[in-house]
Amino acid sequence: MSKDDTAVVFGEDVAFGGVFRCTMGLAEEFGKERVFNTPLTEQGIAGFGIGLALMGHTAIAEIQFADYIYPAFDQLVNEAAKIRYRSGGQYNVGGLTIRTPTMSVGHGGLYHSQSPEGFFMAASGLKIVIPRSPIQAKGLLLSSIRDPNPVIFMEPKILYRSAVEQVPIDDFELPLGEAEVLTTGSDLTLLTWGTPVYHCEAALHMLASPPSSLESLIPPSLRSAKIELIDLRSVLPWDVETVTQSVKRTGRLVIVHEAGLTAGVGAEISAEVQKRCFLKLNAPVRRVTGWDIPVALQYEKFHIPDSIRVLDAVMETLTY
């Protein structure tokens, strides 16, 4: 905001910092004309942001929870995603970025734990970005704001409470549309994004060094398996090349996401991998996801794919 005088931040309660305190101090620093609250109307927030971006502003909107992005679906999918095409390139809303908290924290229930990224997979013209950590969040958010396309930037809630990193204060960007290989391997590719990155890391640690309670269930022959862990980071567009090159080397793929199984992001990735890597696959592509039901408050920990479910899928795929 200090480098771009046209940048404005708006949304429900952002003027006093927002429910997760992400915008603390911005109103005092940049003024209430550039950082301001809106009424409780998600379609209004998105529509207002589209109008601002059309007029040349950098519009940084906040939807308070990703669970409430659905009323804005028409504005985002039918308007923001299509304006450049609709106007023959004369107009665009590349200055629009929608920030929204996503995924679970263990007690959010059906209206505060959803992962709606899959609903936007077919919205050509949008970009969907999901960081895993504070450093990733800063670099990817700055890239999203400056990207010439409208971006929905989904922030896993775990970043607000649990994730700690020494984030550089300097301006830096991380590339959109590029996955990051976190650990290299040759036996299986484990693909995920957002909060499940941490569950996957825990699963790989248990595979290599099983706790006493699981030691009898994990064959010694699997403990030395070399797993390639990839953070997708950008869901739309997703990094087809990095993923398929990895699967061609490892011959196996396990995809983990919190959203439900049916028609999730993992389904699209699975179909593309089957097409491009069919002759290299040694096992069917496996998906570990949330269940196809609303997220139940009291049983949320059983709904979200945890490290045990990831570990089980990895072992089954390795021994297929």
Side-chain angles (χ1 to χ4, degrees):
M1 293 188 72
S2 59
K3 291 184 176 182
D4 182 358
D5 292 336
T6 72
V8 293
V9 174
F10 54 94
E12 298 165 12
D13 303 324
V14 300
F16 68 78
V19 291
F20 293 107
R21 302 298 185 261
C22 292
T23 52
M24 287 285 289
L26 290 183
E28 291 77 12
E29 182 175 356
F30 297 104
K32 294 183 179 180
E33 289 187 351
R34 296 183 62 195
V35 182
F36 51 87
N37 293 333
T38 66
L40 275 68
T41 167
E42 286 77 19
Q43 61 268 51
I45 293 170
F48 181 69
I50 290 169
L52 275 175
L54 277 170
M55 297 303 293
H57 284 270
T58 298
I60 307 167
E62 179 180 303
I63 302 294
Q64 199 166 77
F65 287 91
D67 310 64
Y68 301 128
I69 205 168
Y70 303 113
F73 199 79
D74 177 61
Q75 289 289 336
L76 295 172
V77 174
N78 253 351
E79 304 299 338
K82 296 178 172 67
I83 284 176
R84 180 179 278 114
Y85 174 80
R86 176 185 175 187
S87 68
Q90 296 182 75
Y91 309 104
N92 69 81
V93 291
L96 174 64
T97 302
I98 304 285
R99 293 180 44 252
T100 187
T102 190
M103 299 187 174
S104 68
V105 288
H107 52 264
L110 68 166
Y111 287 137
H112 293 85
S113 291
Q114 296 179 63
S115 300
E117 64 268 20
F119 289 102
F120 295 96
M121 283 293 283
S124 301
L126 294 178
K127 291 189 176 183
I128 312 296
V129 179
I130 306 177
R132 72 175 183 274
S133 69
I135 290 176
Q136 294 286 315
K138 179 176 180 178
L140 291 170
L141 180 57
L142 287 174
S143 294
S144 298
I145 292 170
R146 293 163 180 164
D147 193 87
N149 299 282
V151 179
I152 301 177
F153 190 84
M154 296 184 168
E155 302 168 2
K157 299 183 194 78
I158 195 172
L159 297 185
Y160 304 135
R161 303 287 172 82
S162 303
V164 177
E165 283 183 327
Q166 296 297 322
V167 181
I169 61 174
D170 295 335
D171 190 330
F172 72 95
E173 298 179 28
L174 293 172
L176 304 186
E178 292 186 18
E180 182 179 6
V181 178
L182 302 182
T183 58
T184 59
S186 56
D187 297 319
L188 182 145
T189 300
L190 184 57
L191 177 66
T192 189
W193 52 90
T195 305
V197 168
Y198 301 103
H199 300 316
C200 290
E201 288 178 335
L204 297 186
H205 179 72
M206 286 192 293
L207 178 66
S209 303
S212 56
S213 58
L214 296 177
E215 198 165 6
S216 62
L217 302 174
I218 301 176
S221 60
L222 297 183
R223 298 176 192 178
S224 59
K226 299 187 183 304
I227 312 299
E228 183 145 298
L229 177 60
I230 299 177
D231 176 11
L232 193 62
R233 300 198 295 188
S234 291
V235 169
L236 185 67
W238 64 279
D239 190 347
V240 179
E241 291 304 316
T242 295
V243 174
T244 55
Q245 286 175 11
S246 174
V247 175
K248 286 177 181 177
R249 283 188 292 101
T250 66
R252 300 175 179 88
L253 175 63
V254 175
I255 304 168
V256 183
H257 60 68
E258 287 193 8
L261 179 74
T262 302
V265 176
E268 174 62 26
I269 295 174
S270 297
E272 192 66 23
V273 168
Q274 293 275 19
K275 182 181 79 173
R276 294 181 180 233
C277 309
F278 183 73
L279 295 177
K280 298 288 186 179
L281 288 173
N282 297 318
V285 176
R286 178 71 178 269
R287 289 176 287 161
V288 185
T289 71
W291 309 114
D292 286 336
I293 57 174
V295 182
L297 175 61
Q298 203 158 354
Y299 300 100
E300 187 167 305
K301 67 178 181 178
F302 300 110
H303 180 95
I304 303 304
D306 60 9
S307 54
I308 294 296
R309 286 178 58 194
V310 174
L311 174 62
D312 184 59
V314 167
M315 291 197 303
E316 284 191 7
T317 304
L318 285 170
T319 57
Y320 178 81

